[in-house]
Amino acid sequence: MIEIVQGDITKLQVDAIVNAANESLRGGGGVDGAIHRAAGPQLLAECMQHPGCPTGTAVLTLGYRLPARYVIHTVGPVWRGGSFGEAELLRKAYSSVFTIARGHGAIDAIAFPAISTGVYGYPRSDAAAIALDVMRENDANFRRIIACVFDDGTATVYRSILAQEE
Ligand code: AR6
């Protein structure tokens, strides 16, 4: 069952929230900034132990002051017009998170932001179709999969895709 929740992902009581990070894993703006602010400085300290996170891959850390026990950081592609493998890389970012979460054993409820659709400029309906497709592929393995949408436009896009599937 895929749920759409509109609001701030840092407030969600789930086992893991997903961060739309950048390859340096040194923090940034958008949801990345919000997660680091809410988790506190220990999150950056743990991230600094990683050499980085190439686009399409993912890294697990603790959540520190977040209600979520873990953060899975992934990096979506920067939108460059669509002919630079962006769709494959976005799919890979979502899939890499699920691979880590499935292998972990204690992650049964997980929430994702709309990766790449902010600063990285990915068209949100194309990104939403990929996000929901990979979520559906993994649905049977989790108690809760939450698509956490922030703005009204993204919420509308996600809801209309899910409604078409029903
Ligand atoms: N909770 C849920 N969603 C949020 C929140 C929040 N607190 N804040 C923003 N969003 P973006 P990207 C939504 O730009 O496009 C960072 O600087 C936002 O409205 O955060 O993958 C990183 O360090 C949008 O729908 O991520 C990278 O450098 C979605 O989250 C770069 O931005 C993603 O927007 C990554 O860019």
Side-chain angles (χ1 to χ4, degrees):
M1 168 78 175
I2 297 160
E3 300 165 50
I4 298 171
V5 171
Q6 189 171 3
D8 182 356
I9 201 167
T10 67
K11 309 283 190 223
L12 297 183
Q13 307 259 2
V14 286
D15 302 314
I17 62 170
V18 175
N19 185 15
N22 59 65
E23 290 190 334
S24 79
L25 288 187
R26 299 299 182 260
V31 71
D32 193 7
I35 288 173
H36 276 274
R37 275 193 302 279
Q42 285 173 293
L43 178 60
L44 184 60
E46 185 176 351
C47 285
M48 300 279 269
Q49 292 168 20
H50 290 275
C53 185
T55 301
T57 68
V59 161
L60 177 101
T61 67
L62 294 176
Y64 300 99
R65 294 182 195 154
L66 289 164
R69 177 120 201 237
Y70 301 102
V71 178
I72 304 178
H73 308 259
T74 190
V75 181
V78 176
W79 180 257
R80 294 198 286 149
S83 52
F84 291 87
E86 292 96 328
E88 292 74 15
L89 286 167
L90 186 61
R91 178 172 287 278
K92 195 164 166 248
Y94 280 95
S95 301
S96 299
V97 170
F98 278 119
T99 301
I100 288 182
R102 281 200 317 267
H104 185 277
I107 299 175
D108 212 19
I110 184 165
F112 289 81
I115 298 164
S116 281
T117 66
V119 175
Y120 281 1
Y122 206 111
R124 62 186 174 202
S125 41
D126 296 344
I130 292 170
L132 289 168
D133 197 42
V134 185
M135 288 178 197
R136 212 180 313 103
E137 285 169 12
N138 286 276
D139 204 9
N141 299 308
F142 294 86
R143 187 169 54 82
R144 297 182 76 189
I145 297 177
I146 296 173
C148 178
V149 292
F150 204 51
D151 56 282
D152 293 343
T154 304
T156 303
V157 164
Y158 272 72
R159 289 197 181 106
S160 72
I161 293 173
L162 276 193
Q164 280 164 25
E165 288 169 0
E166 276 164 7

